[in-house]
Amino acid sequence: MRYPNSARVYQKTSSHNTSRRGMSFEEDINQSNLYYLKQDLAVVHKKPTPVTIVKVSYPQRSAAKITEAYFKLPSTTDYNGIYKGKYLDFEAKECHSDKSFPFSSIHPHQVEHLRSVNRHGGIAFILLRMNIFNEDYLIKAEDFLEFYDSKKRKSLPYSWIQENGHLISFRLYAPVDYLPVVDKLYDL
Amino acid sequence: MRYPNSARVYQKTSSHNTSRRGMSFEEDINQSNLYYLKQDLAVVHKKPTPVTIVKVSYPQRSAAKITEAYFKLPSTTDYNGIYKGKYLDFEAKECHSDKSFPFSSIHPHQVEHLRSVNRHGGIAFILLRMNIFNEDYLIKAEDFLEFYDSKKRKSLPYSWIQENGHLISFRLYAPVDYLPVVDKLYDL
């Protein structure tokens, strides 16, 4: 027998559907940054998505409308700002595998950007959400680059992430509460 | 008598057409930042223009095309990065008047962003091109904010800019060579 509107009663029975975190990783980070900003703890913003604008129309009495544009490859990471007087820079990534995080998910430009921030004395890292394990990690750029440069593998194994990454706690107002981890790792 | 193609021999006789600088202020700053990046002096990038993307189409065998999007008000300044280990943040503006730079040209969010970067110990300033005089100035956020907060006027008079701003030199590879001015002003 088929129920009316059967699609509506269907529920996904994923064993990992217990996420404490509400939304996408990006939204969770944005919410954390907004909380930090309002508490005047740090000034960190996500950069806008880079697009190449080709055509704009100017309808009368209303806002300019972009009618043709394309996504551009980012030349830097998505987030940067200032914390305790220090320059802070990071890229946020989600990983849907339970085995490893593939390097193909991070653009070479972004890796080089992290390297150069690091060289200039900034605090550079990757925030990595392991979706299947419902875990968020902070991975220092130094540690990431060492493994990346060794060219041993084309991905970060989960075991490496557990050993070298630093777990980030969830807080209601800062769902990805990375600042306490930054304090500890960089002696701030 | 009218020459054929007369339009081609016509030359603009503006008395201020002697700009050493080639292109728009933004392009000149981008070129300077690119030079600094290649010389590994500083890592400073312009943030992408913020847009709200409404519709994207995915034509077969070609790149995703944005078919409806709108410009968003920026919540921060346009440029930030790291220089000598310090967080650097600035907004770039052009002024076409010879009298004053109107505060209406800079969004309140951007002013508050500069204030907050300043409070967190970052280096914050405005780069201002006075088009008519063919001059580029660096104005420290502190100085700007003091005048802005006094609410004496709704614009920065040119005389104030000359007195409190710091002239930036032109260099072939860095058309807006602001780093030497930063060195001097912030003891770097």
Short mmCIF file of all heavy atoms in Angstrom, two decimals, chain B residues 14-75:
data_model
loop_
_atom_site.label_atom_id
_atom_site.label_comp_id
_atom_site.label_asym_id
_atom_site.label_seq_id
_atom_site.Cartn_x
_atom_site.Cartn_y
_atom_site.Cartn_z
N SER B 14 42.96 68.39 -21.53
CA SER B 14 42.85 68.57 -20.09
C SER B 14 44.21 68.91 -19.50
O SER B 14 45.22 68.30 -19.82
CB SER B 14 42.33 67.28 -19.45
OG SER B 14 42.69 67.24 -18.09
N SER B 15 44.22 69.90 -18.61
CA SER B 15 45.48 70.30 -17.99
C SER B 15 45.97 69.25 -16.99
O SER B 15 47.07 69.30 -16.49
CB SER B 15 45.31 71.64 -17.28
OG SER B 15 44.28 71.52 -16.32
N HIS B 16 45.09 68.30 -16.66
CA HIS B 16 45.48 67.29 -15.69
C HIS B 16 45.65 65.93 -16.35
O HIS B 16 45.50 64.90 -15.73
CB HIS B 16 44.46 67.21 -14.56
CG HIS B 16 44.34 68.49 -13.83
ND1 HIS B 16 45.35 69.00 -13.05
CD2 HIS B 16 43.35 69.41 -13.79
CE1 HIS B 16 44.99 70.16 -12.54
NE2 HIS B 16 43.78 70.43 -12.98
N ASN B 17 45.95 65.96 -17.60
CA ASN B 17 46.07 64.73 -18.36
C ASN B 17 47.50 64.18 -18.33
O ASN B 17 47.89 63.43 -19.19
CB ASN B 17 45.62 64.98 -19.80
CG ASN B 17 45.15 63.69 -20.45
OD1 ASN B 17 45.04 62.67 -19.77
ND2 ASN B 17 44.93 63.73 -21.75
N THR B 18 48.25 64.60 -17.34
CA THR B 18 49.67 64.25 -17.32
C THR B 18 49.97 63.10 -16.35
O THR B 18 51.11 62.92 -15.93
CB THR B 18 50.49 65.47 -16.89
OG1 THR B 18 49.95 65.93 -15.64
CG2 THR B 18 50.42 66.57 -17.92
N SER B 19 48.94 62.37 -15.99
CA SER B 19 49.10 61.30 -15.01
C SER B 19 50.25 60.37 -15.36
O SER B 19 50.35 59.84 -16.45
CB SER B 19 47.83 60.49 -14.91
OG SER B 19 48.01 59.41 -14.03
N ARG B 20 51.14 60.18 -14.37
CA ARG B 20 52.20 59.20 -14.55
C ARG B 20 51.61 57.81 -14.41
O ARG B 20 52.17 56.82 -14.79
CB ARG B 20 53.25 59.36 -13.46
CG ARG B 20 53.86 60.71 -13.36
CD ARG B 20 54.50 60.88 -12.00
NE ARG B 20 53.54 60.73 -10.92
CZ ARG B 20 53.84 60.73 -9.64
NH1 ARG B 20 55.10 60.82 -9.28
NH2 ARG B 20 52.92 60.61 -8.71
N ARG B 21 50.48 57.76 -13.72
CA ARG B 21 49.90 56.47 -13.40
C ARG B 21 48.99 56.04 -14.54
O ARG B 21 48.23 56.84 -15.07
CB ARG B 21 49.13 56.58 -12.10
CG ARG B 21 50.07 56.92 -10.95
CD ARG B 21 49.31 57.20 -9.69
NE ARG B 21 50.24 57.45 -8.59
CZ ARG B 21 50.58 58.66 -8.16
NH1 ARG B 21 50.07 59.72 -8.73
NH2 ARG B 21 51.42 58.79 -7.16
N GLY B 22 49.08 54.76 -14.84
CA GLY B 22 48.44 54.32 -16.05
C GLY B 22 46.94 54.19 -15.98
O GLY B 22 46.21 54.75 -16.78
N MET B 23 46.48 53.45 -15.01
CA MET B 23 45.11 52.98 -15.09
C MET B 23 44.29 53.47 -13.92
O MET B 23 44.58 54.48 -13.33
CB MET B 23 45.17 51.46 -15.15
CG MET B 23 45.96 50.98 -16.35
SD MET B 23 46.35 49.22 -16.27
CE MET B 23 47.54 49.19 -14.93
N SER B 24 43.28 52.73 -13.60
CA SER B 24 42.45 53.11 -12.47
C SER B 24 43.24 52.92 -11.18
O SER B 24 44.23 52.19 -11.13
CB SER B 24 41.20 52.25 -12.43
OG SER B 24 41.52 50.96 -11.95
N PHE B 25 42.78 53.58 -10.14
CA PHE B 25 43.44 53.47 -8.84
C PHE B 25 43.48 52.01 -8.41
O PHE B 25 44.51 51.53 -7.93
CB PHE B 25 42.66 54.33 -7.84
CG PHE B 25 43.41 54.62 -6.57
CD1 PHE B 25 44.79 54.78 -6.57
CD2 PHE B 25 42.72 54.79 -5.37
CE1 PHE B 25 45.47 55.08 -5.39
CE2 PHE B 25 43.40 55.08 -4.19
CZ PHE B 25 44.77 55.22 -4.19
N GLU B 26 42.35 51.33 -8.59
CA GLU B 26 42.29 49.92 -8.19
C GLU B 26 43.35 49.09 -8.93
O GLU B 26 44.04 48.28 -8.32
CB GLU B 26 40.89 49.36 -8.48
CG GLU B 26 40.76 47.92 -8.05
CD GLU B 26 39.39 47.33 -8.32
OE1 GLU B 26 38.37 48.02 -8.08
OE2 GLU B 26 39.33 46.18 -8.79
N GLU B 27 43.46 49.30 -10.23
CA GLU B 27 44.45 48.54 -11.00
C GLU B 27 45.87 48.87 -10.55
O GLU B 27 46.73 47.99 -10.50
CB GLU B 27 44.28 48.83 -12.50
CG GLU B 27 43.07 48.11 -13.10
CD GLU B 27 42.70 48.63 -14.48
OE1 GLU B 27 42.93 49.84 -14.76
OE2 GLU B 27 42.18 47.85 -15.29
N ASP B 28 46.11 50.15 -10.25
CA ASP B 28 47.43 50.55 -9.78
C ASP B 28 47.77 49.90 -8.43
O ASP B 28 48.91 49.48 -8.20
CB ASP B 28 47.51 52.07 -9.64
CG ASP B 28 47.66 52.76 -11.00
OD1 ASP B 28 47.91 52.06 -12.00
OD2 ASP B 28 47.52 54.00 -11.06
N ILE B 29 46.78 49.82 -7.56
CA ILE B 29 47.01 49.18 -6.25
C ILE B 29 47.22 47.69 -6.44
O ILE B 29 48.13 47.10 -5.85
CB ILE B 29 45.83 49.46 -5.29
CG1 ILE B 29 45.76 50.96 -4.97
CG2 ILE B 29 45.97 48.65 -4.01
CD1 ILE B 29 44.52 51.36 -4.20
N ASN B 30 46.39 47.08 -7.29
CA ASN B 30 46.55 45.65 -7.53
C ASN B 30 47.94 45.33 -8.08
O ASN B 30 48.56 44.34 -7.71
CB ASN B 30 45.47 45.14 -8.49
CG ASN B 30 44.09 45.14 -7.85
OD1 ASN B 30 43.96 45.31 -6.62
ND2 ASN B 30 43.06 44.97 -8.66
N GLN B 31 48.40 46.19 -8.99
CA GLN B 31 49.73 45.97 -9.56
C GLN B 31 50.82 46.11 -8.50
O GLN B 31 51.78 45.34 -8.47
CB GLN B 31 49.96 46.97 -10.71
CG GLN B 31 51.14 46.55 -11.59
CD GLN B 31 51.46 47.62 -12.63
OE1 GLN B 31 50.56 48.13 -13.30
NE2 GLN B 31 52.73 47.96 -12.77
N SER B 32 50.65 47.06 -7.61
CA SER B 32 51.61 47.25 -6.52
C SER B 32 51.61 46.02 -5.62
O SER B 32 52.67 45.51 -5.24
CB SER B 32 51.24 48.49 -5.70
OG SER B 32 51.10 49.61 -6.55
N ASN B 33 50.42 45.52 -5.29
CA ASN B 33 50.32 44.35 -4.42
C ASN B 33 50.94 43.11 -5.07
O ASN B 33 51.56 42.29 -4.40
CB ASN B 33 48.86 44.07 -4.05
CG ASN B 33 48.34 45.08 -3.03
OD1 ASN B 33 49.12 45.69 -2.29
ND2 ASN B 33 47.04 45.26 -2.99
N LEU B 34 50.74 43.02 -6.37
CA LEU B 34 51.30 41.89 -7.10
C LEU B 34 52.83 41.95 -7.08
O LEU B 34 53.52 40.94 -6.89
CB LEU B 34 50.80 41.91 -8.55
CG LEU B 34 51.08 40.66 -9.38
CD1 LEU B 34 50.38 39.45 -8.78
CD2 LEU B 34 50.60 40.86 -10.82
N TYR B 35 53.35 43.15 -7.23
CA TYR B 35 54.80 43.36 -7.15
C TYR B 35 55.31 42.99 -5.76
O TYR B 35 56.30 42.26 -5.62
CB TYR B 35 55.13 44.81 -7.50
CG TYR B 35 56.58 45.16 -7.32
CD1 TYR B 35 57.54 44.77 -8.24
CD2 TYR B 35 56.99 45.90 -6.20
CE1 TYR B 35 58.88 45.09 -8.05
CE2 TYR B 35 58.32 46.22 -6.01
CZ TYR B 35 59.27 45.81 -6.94
OH TYR B 35 60.59 46.13 -6.75
N TYR B 36 54.62 43.45 -4.73
CA TYR B 36 55.02 43.13 -3.34
C TYR B 36 54.98 41.62 -3.12
O TYR B 36 55.84 41.06 -2.44
CB TYR B 36 54.08 43.80 -2.34
CG TYR B 36 54.13 45.32 -2.31
CD1 TYR B 36 53.03 46.06 -1.89
CD2 TYR B 36 55.28 46.01 -2.67
CE1 TYR B 36 53.07 47.45 -1.84
CE2 TYR B 36 55.32 47.40 -2.63
CZ TYR B 36 54.22 48.12 -2.21
OH TYR B 36 54.26 49.49 -2.16
N LEU B 37 53.96 40.97 -3.70
CA LEU B 37 53.81 39.53 -3.53
C LEU B 37 54.96 38.79 -4.21
O LEU B 37 55.57 37.88 -3.64
CB LEU B 37 52.47 39.09 -4.14
CG LEU B 37 52.04 37.65 -3.89
CD1 LEU B 37 51.64 37.45 -2.43
CD2 LEU B 37 50.84 37.27 -4.77
N LYS B 38 55.29 39.21 -5.43
CA LYS B 38 56.35 38.55 -6.18
C LYS B 38 57.72 38.77 -5.54
O LYS B 38 58.58 37.90 -5.61
CB LYS B 38 56.36 39.03 -7.64
CG LYS B 38 55.20 38.42 -8.42
CD LYS B 38 55.28 38.72 -9.90
CE LYS B 38 54.18 37.95 -10.64
NZ LYS B 38 54.02 38.47 -12.03
N GLN B 39 57.90 39.95 -4.94
CA GLN B 39 59.15 40.24 -4.23
C GLN B 39 59.13 39.64 -2.83
O GLN B 39 60.09 39.81 -2.07
CB GLN B 39 59.35 41.76 -4.12
CG GLN B 39 59.47 42.48 -5.45
CD GLN B 39 60.77 42.16 -6.15
OE1 GLN B 39 61.83 42.21 -5.55
NE2 GLN B 39 60.69 41.80 -7.42
N ASP B 40 58.01 39.00 -2.48
CA ASP B 40 57.83 38.40 -1.16
C ASP B 40 57.97 39.42 -0.02
O ASP B 40 58.47 39.10 1.06
CB ASP B 40 58.82 37.24 -0.95
CG ASP B 40 58.28 36.22 0.05
OD1 ASP B 40 57.04 36.15 0.22
OD2 ASP B 40 59.09 35.51 0.68
N LEU B 41 57.51 40.64 -0.28
CA LEU B 41 57.57 41.70 0.73
C LEU B 41 56.33 41.70 1.61
O LEU B 41 56.39 41.98 2.80
CB LEU B 41 57.67 43.08 0.05
CG LEU B 41 58.95 43.39 -0.69
CD1 LEU B 41 58.80 44.67 -1.50
CD2 LEU B 41 60.09 43.55 0.33
N ALA B 42 55.19 41.42 1.00
CA ALA B 42 53.91 41.46 1.71
C ALA B 42 52.91 40.59 0.96
O ALA B 42 53.07 40.34 -0.24
CB ALA B 42 53.38 42.89 1.77
N VAL B 43 51.91 40.11 1.69
CA VAL B 43 50.83 39.33 1.07
C VAL B 43 49.53 40.11 1.27
O VAL B 43 48.91 40.04 2.31
CB VAL B 43 50.71 37.93 1.71
CG1 VAL B 43 49.66 37.10 0.99
CG2 VAL B 43 52.06 37.22 1.71
N VAL B 44 49.19 40.93 0.28
CA VAL B 44 47.99 41.76 0.37
C VAL B 44 47.15 41.52 -0.88
O VAL B 44 47.66 41.58 -1.99
CB VAL B 44 48.34 43.26 0.49
CG1 VAL B 44 47.09 44.11 0.60
CG2 VAL B 44 49.24 43.51 1.70
N HIS B 45 45.87 41.24 -0.68
CA HIS B 45 44.98 40.98 -1.80
C HIS B 45 43.73 41.84 -1.70
O HIS B 45 43.29 42.18 -0.61
CB HIS B 45 44.55 39.51 -1.80
CG HIS B 45 45.63 38.56 -2.19
ND1 HIS B 45 45.90 38.22 -3.50
CD2 HIS B 45 46.53 37.86 -1.45
CE1 HIS B 45 46.91 37.36 -3.54
NE2 HIS B 45 47.31 37.13 -2.31
N LYS B 46 43.18 42.14 -2.85
CA LYS B 46 41.87 42.78 -2.87
C LYS B 46 40.81 41.71 -2.68
O LYS B 46 40.89 40.64 -3.27
CB LYS B 46 41.64 43.47 -4.22
CG LYS B 46 40.33 44.22 -4.24
CD LYS B 46 40.07 44.94 -5.55
CE LYS B 46 38.76 45.72 -5.44
NZ LYS B 46 37.58 44.85 -5.30
N LYS B 47 39.83 42.02 -1.85
CA LYS B 47 38.73 41.07 -1.71
C LYS B 47 37.84 41.15 -2.93
O LYS B 47 37.66 42.22 -3.52
CB LYS B 47 37.91 41.42 -0.46
CG LYS B 47 38.69 41.22 0.82
CD LYS B 47 37.79 41.43 2.03
CE LYS B 47 38.62 41.31 3.30
NZ LYS B 47 37.80 41.58 4.49
N PRO B 48 37.24 40.02 -3.32
CA PRO B 48 36.33 40.06 -4.46
C PRO B 48 35.13 40.96 -4.16
O PRO B 48 34.80 41.18 -3.00
CB PRO B 48 35.87 38.60 -4.58
CG PRO B 48 36.88 37.78 -3.84
CD PRO B 48 37.42 38.67 -2.76
N THR B 49 34.54 41.50 -5.20
CA THR B 49 33.33 42.30 -5.05
C THR B 49 32.20 41.42 -4.50
O THR B 49 31.92 40.37 -5.05
CB THR B 49 32.89 42.82 -6.44
OG1 THR B 49 33.99 43.52 -7.00
CG2 THR B 49 31.70 43.75 -6.34
N PRO B 50 31.58 41.83 -3.40
CA PRO B 50 30.53 40.98 -2.85
C PRO B 50 29.25 41.02 -3.68
O PRO B 50 28.73 42.10 -3.97
CB PRO B 50 30.29 41.56 -1.44
CG PRO B 50 30.95 42.89 -1.41
CD PRO B 50 31.85 43.03 -2.60
N VAL B 51 28.80 39.86 -4.09
CA VAL B 51 27.53 39.77 -4.83
C VAL B 51 26.64 38.69 -4.21
O VAL B 51 27.11 37.73 -3.63
CB VAL B 51 27.74 39.44 -6.33
CG1 VAL B 51 28.51 40.53 -7.05
CG2 VAL B 51 28.44 38.11 -6.52
N THR B 52 25.34 38.91 -4.33
CA THR B 52 24.38 37.90 -3.92
C THR B 52 23.97 37.15 -5.19
O THR B 52 23.44 37.75 -6.12
CB THR B 52 23.12 38.56 -3.32
OG1 THR B 52 23.54 39.40 -2.25
CG2 THR B 52 22.14 37.51 -2.80
N ILE B 53 24.26 35.86 -5.21
CA ILE B 53 23.97 35.07 -6.39
C ILE B 53 22.55 34.49 -6.26
O ILE B 53 22.24 33.85 -5.26
CB ILE B 53 25.03 33.96 -6.57
CG1 ILE B 53 26.40 34.62 -6.81
CG2 ILE B 53 24.66 33.03 -7.72
CD1 ILE B 53 27.57 33.68 -6.67
N VAL B 54 21.72 34.74 -7.25
CA VAL B 54 20.33 34.28 -7.19
C VAL B 54 20.09 33.07 -8.09
O VAL B 54 19.48 32.09 -7.68
CB VAL B 54 19.34 35.43 -7.54
CG1 VAL B 54 17.90 34.94 -7.53
CG2 VAL B 54 19.52 36.59 -6.57
N LYS B 55 20.59 33.17 -9.33
CA LYS B 55 20.36 32.06 -10.27
C LYS B 55 21.66 31.64 -10.97
O LYS B 55 22.42 32.48 -11.43
CB LYS B 55 19.37 32.49 -11.37
CG LYS B 55 17.92 32.19 -11.02
CD LYS B 55 17.03 32.46 -12.24
CE LYS B 55 15.64 32.91 -11.79
NZ LYS B 55 14.95 33.71 -12.79
N VAL B 56 21.84 30.33 -11.05
CA VAL B 56 23.01 29.80 -11.76
C VAL B 56 22.50 28.76 -12.74
O VAL B 56 21.66 27.93 -12.39
CB VAL B 56 24.00 29.13 -10.78
CG1 VAL B 56 25.24 28.64 -11.51
CG2 VAL B 56 24.40 30.10 -9.67
N SER B 57 22.96 28.84 -13.96
CA SER B 57 22.58 27.78 -14.90
C SER B 57 23.82 26.93 -15.20
O SER B 57 24.95 27.41 -15.14
CB SER B 57 21.98 28.37 -16.18
OG SER B 57 23.00 28.88 -17.00
N TYR B 58 23.58 25.67 -15.49
CA TYR B 58 24.68 24.74 -15.73
C TYR B 58 24.59 24.19 -17.14
O TYR B 58 24.10 23.09 -17.35
CB TYR B 58 24.64 23.60 -14.71
CG TYR B 58 24.78 24.08 -13.28
CD1 TYR B 58 23.67 24.43 -12.54
CD2 TYR B 58 26.04 24.22 -12.71
CE1 TYR B 58 23.80 24.90 -11.23
CE2 TYR B 58 26.18 24.69 -11.42
CZ TYR B 58 25.06 25.03 -10.68
OH TYR B 58 25.19 25.50 -9.40
N PRO B 59 25.07 24.98 -18.12
CA PRO B 59 25.00 24.49 -19.51
C PRO B 59 25.89 23.25 -19.64
O PRO B 59 26.95 23.19 -19.00
CB PRO B 59 25.58 25.65 -20.33
CG PRO B 59 25.79 26.78 -19.38
CD PRO B 59 25.84 26.21 -18.00
N GLN B 60 25.46 22.31 -20.45
CA GLN B 60 26.27 21.11 -20.66
C GLN B 60 27.63 21.44 -21.23
O GLN B 60 27.76 22.31 -22.08
CB GLN B 60 25.52 20.16 -21.60
CG GLN B 60 24.44 19.38 -20.88
CD GLN B 60 24.00 18.17 -21.69
OE1 GLN B 60 23.87 18.28 -22.90
NE2 GLN B 60 23.79 17.05 -21.04
N ARG B 61 28.62 20.73 -20.76
CA ARG B 61 29.98 20.86 -21.27
C ARG B 61 30.58 22.26 -21.17
O ARG B 61 31.51 22.62 -21.87
CB ARG B 61 30.05 20.46 -22.76
CG ARG B 61 29.87 18.99 -22.98
CD ARG B 61 29.57 18.75 -24.46
NE ARG B 61 29.05 17.41 -24.67
CZ ARG B 61 29.81 16.37 -24.98
NH1 ARG B 61 31.09 16.52 -25.16
NH2 ARG B 61 29.28 15.18 -25.12
N SER B 62 30.00 23.10 -20.30
CA SER B 62 30.68 24.37 -20.10
C SER B 62 30.49 24.82 -18.67
O SER B 62 29.75 24.23 -17.89
CB SER B 62 30.20 25.42 -21.10
OG SER B 62 28.82 25.58 -21.03
N ALA B 63 31.18 25.90 -18.33
CA ALA B 63 31.23 26.33 -16.94
C ALA B 63 29.88 26.84 -16.45
O ALA B 63 29.08 27.35 -17.24
CB ALA B 63 32.27 27.42 -16.80
N ALA B 64 29.64 26.69 -15.16
CA ALA B 64 28.43 27.22 -14.55
C ALA B 64 28.33 28.71 -14.84
O ALA B 64 29.31 29.44 -14.75
CB ALA B 64 28.46 26.98 -13.05
N LYS B 65 27.13 29.14 -15.20
CA LYS B 65 26.93 30.54 -15.57
C LYS B 65 25.95 31.17 -14.59
O LYS B 65 24.85 30.66 -14.38
CB LYS B 65 26.35 30.58 -16.99
CG LYS B 65 26.10 31.96 -17.54
CD LYS B 65 25.58 31.85 -18.97
CE LYS B 65 25.06 33.17 -19.49
NZ LYS B 65 24.52 33.01 -20.86
N ILE B 66 26.37 32.27 -13.99
CA ILE B 66 25.49 33.01 -13.08
C ILE B 66 24.62 33.92 -13.94
O ILE B 66 25.14 34.73 -14.71
CB ILE B 66 26.31 33.83 -12.07
CG1 ILE B 66 27.19 32.89 -11.22
CG2 ILE B 66 25.41 34.67 -11.18
CD1 ILE B 66 28.34 33.59 -10.53
N THR B 67 23.30 33.75 -13.84
CA THR B 67 22.41 34.53 -14.71
C THR B 67 21.63 35.59 -13.95
O THR B 67 20.97 36.43 -14.56
CB THR B 67 21.41 33.61 -15.45
OG1 THR B 67 20.69 32.85 -14.45
CG2 THR B 67 22.13 32.66 -16.38
N GLU B 68 21.68 35.52 -12.63
CA GLU B 68 21.05 36.60 -11.86
C GLU B 68 21.81 36.79 -10.55
O GLU B 68 21.94 35.86 -9.75
CB GLU B 68 19.57 36.30 -11.57
CG GLU B 68 18.88 37.49 -10.91
CD GLU B 68 17.39 37.22 -10.59
OE1 GLU B 68 16.85 36.20 -11.05
OE2 GLU B 68 16.82 38.05 -9.87
N ALA B 69 22.30 38.00 -10.36
CA ALA B 69 23.04 38.31 -9.14
C ALA B 69 22.96 39.82 -8.91
O ALA B 69 22.66 40.57 -9.84
CB ALA B 69 24.49 37.86 -9.26
N TYR B 70 23.19 40.22 -7.66
CA TYR B 70 23.12 41.63 -7.32
C TYR B 70 24.32 42.04 -6.49
O TYR B 70 24.85 41.23 -5.75
CB TYR B 70 21.82 41.92 -6.55
CG TYR B 70 20.59 41.60 -7.36
CD1 TYR B 70 20.01 40.33 -7.29
CD2 TYR B 70 20.05 42.53 -8.25
CE1 TYR B 70 18.92 40.01 -8.08
CE2 TYR B 70 18.96 42.21 -9.03
CZ TYR B 70 18.39 40.96 -8.95
OH TYR B 70 17.32 40.63 -9.74
N PHE B 71 24.70 43.29 -6.63
CA PHE B 71 25.79 43.80 -5.81
C PHE B 71 25.33 43.94 -4.36
O PHE B 71 24.19 44.33 -4.11
CB PHE B 71 26.26 45.16 -6.34
CG PHE B 71 26.90 45.05 -7.70
CD1 PHE B 71 26.20 45.40 -8.85
CD2 PHE B 71 28.20 44.60 -7.83
CE1 PHE B 71 26.79 45.29 -10.11
CE2 PHE B 71 28.80 44.49 -9.08
CZ PHE B 71 28.08 44.83 -10.22
N LYS B 72 26.24 43.60 -3.46
CA LYS B 72 25.94 43.70 -2.03
C LYS B 72 26.79 44.81 -1.44
O LYS B 72 27.89 45.07 -1.92
CB LYS B 72 26.36 42.40 -1.32
CG LYS B 72 25.22 41.53 -0.90
CD LYS B 72 25.61 40.48 0.13
CE LYS B 72 26.74 39.56 -0.25
NZ LYS B 72 26.75 38.32 0.54
N LEU B 73 26.33 45.43 -0.37
CA LEU B 73 27.16 46.40 0.33
C LEU B 73 28.32 45.67 0.99
O LEU B 73 28.12 44.64 1.62
CB LEU B 73 26.34 47.11 1.41
CG LEU B 73 25.54 48.33 0.97
CD1 LEU B 73 24.83 48.94 2.17
CD2 LEU B 73 26.44 49.37 0.32
N PRO B 74 29.52 46.19 0.87
CA PRO B 74 30.64 45.52 1.54
C PRO B 74 30.57 45.73 3.05
O PRO B 74 30.18 46.80 3.51
CB PRO B 74 31.87 46.22 0.95
CG PRO B 74 31.37 47.55 0.49
CD PRO B 74 29.92 47.40 0.14
N SER B 75 30.92 44.70 3.82
CA SER B 75 30.90 44.85 5.28
C SER B 75 32.28 45.16 5.82
O SER B 75 32.45 45.48 6.99
CB SER B 75 30.34 43.59 5.94
OG SER B 75 30.94 42.45 5.39
#
